[in-house]
Amino acid sequence: RVNVDTNGDSFASLGKSSPFSPFRQRNVRFLWAGSFLSYASSWIQGIALNWLAYSLTGSGTILGSINMVRSATALSMIPVTGVIVDRFAHKKLLLLKMFWWFLITLGLGIILLLGPARTFYLFIFAFLAGLVFTMDLTLGSIIVFDLVPRAGIPNTMALFQTGGALTRAFGPALGGYLLLLFLPGGTFIIQAGIYAIVLLFFFQLRFPPSRFEVTK
């Protein structure tokens, strides 16, 4: 027996599926590739931001304060994020979120390339990143359930966990090499390029019609 999703892609039955069977579905391939690159870029971004903050100030307090700004902003967005995710199409939110990451990362990269770095640039970036950080986590938790048939969920989630573990293994090292080769400005430009590729992958996703309607 074969399960067919709303986009016409097929899954082997749960009993006969292999660990990589979710990759037979077009949506999973694009979502996994985009998420993998996004995870990797997040690690690179964290390394670059922390290194830049400490190199500018030599202060652990400033470094902690920058991270606190992002965390506090993300926490303040939790109630708003839930309402937005419930009321708007998830694909549009996914694309808007990635476009926002692209814009703020590209903007910081250009600023760093054009002139000397300033600590307040990093605080502004942390605030802007915090605005979508909660959206990032929320959509990442539910988007697989929008796109993958129930029978394929366990293997698909395992693949995403594996991808996340791989980025944790090599992401910080890659961030360090990029800083060494391209300095902070170039590193943020590379991150923006990665987010642009992720946008192209996510644009290819085909979402089924929503099964839920917001009642008034």
Side-chain angles (χ1 to χ4, degrees):
R1 183 173 61 85
V2 174
N3 294 320
V4 180
D5 73 357
T6 54
N7 298 316
D9 296 319
S10 63
F11 272 86
S13 63
L14 187 59
K16 297 181 180 180
S17 62
S18 72
F20 299 100
S21 60
F23 282 138
R24 299 172 189 169
Q25 192 200 31
R26 180 179 183 276
N27 273 337
V28 173
R29 293 194 297 270
F30 281 113
L31 183 62
W32 189 92
S35 298
F36 181 82
L37 290 175
S38 180
Y39 295 154
S41 187
S42 295
W43 281 104
I44 296 170
Q45 182 182 110
I47 293 296
L49 192 65
N50 290 340
W51 181 89
L52 185 56
Y54 194 76
S55 68
L56 285 174
T57 65
S59 170
T61 301
I62 294 297
L63 177 59
S65 298
I66 290 172
N67 289 319
M68 184 185 69
V69 167
R70 184 177 70 170
S71 298
T73 307
L75 285 173
S76 71
M77 291 298 295
I78 289 176
V80 179
T81 298
V83 174
I84 292 173
V85 170
D86 283 343
R87 291 184 175 271
F88 295 94
H90 291 172
K91 181 175 181 178
K92 290 181 179 179
L93 293 177
L94 189 65
L95 294 176
L96 285 172
K97 178 203 71 170
M98 293 312 307
F99 186 65
W100 181 256
W101 279 118
F102 167 76
L103 280 181
I104 64 174
T105 306
L106 179 65
L108 181 58
I110 292 173
I111 289 172
L112 294 176
L113 289 176
L114 292 179
R118 296 286 186 268
T119 306
F120 74 89
Y121 296 158
L122 307 186
F123 278 99
I124 294 172
F125 180 84
F127 172 77
L128 296 176
L131 291 176
V132 294
F133 187 75
T134 305
M135 179 73 69
D136 212 353
L137 295 178
T138 304
L139 285 176
S141 300
I142 65 177
I143 211 77
V144 171
F145 296 91
D146 287 341
L147 297 173
V148 179
R150 183 176 296 274
I153 291 292
N155 282 346
T156 303
M157 295 302 294
L159 288 173
F160 276 81
Q161 291 295 326
T162 301
L166 288 174
T167 61
R168 283 194 296 273
F170 75 81
L174 180 58
Y177 281 119
L178 290 176
L179 278 171
L180 180 64
L181 294 174
F182 301 104
L183 302 180
T187 300
F188 279 98
I189 295 295
I190 291 172
Q191 292 169 45
I194 294 174
Y195 286 133
I197 296 172
V198 174
L199 264 171
L200 293 176
F201 282 147
F202 286 169
F203 187 76
Q204 301 300 320
L205 296 174
R206 298 173 180 171
F207 279 68
S210 177
R211 298 189 299 272
F212 306 99
E213 294 183 358
V214 178
T215 56
K216 297 181 178 180

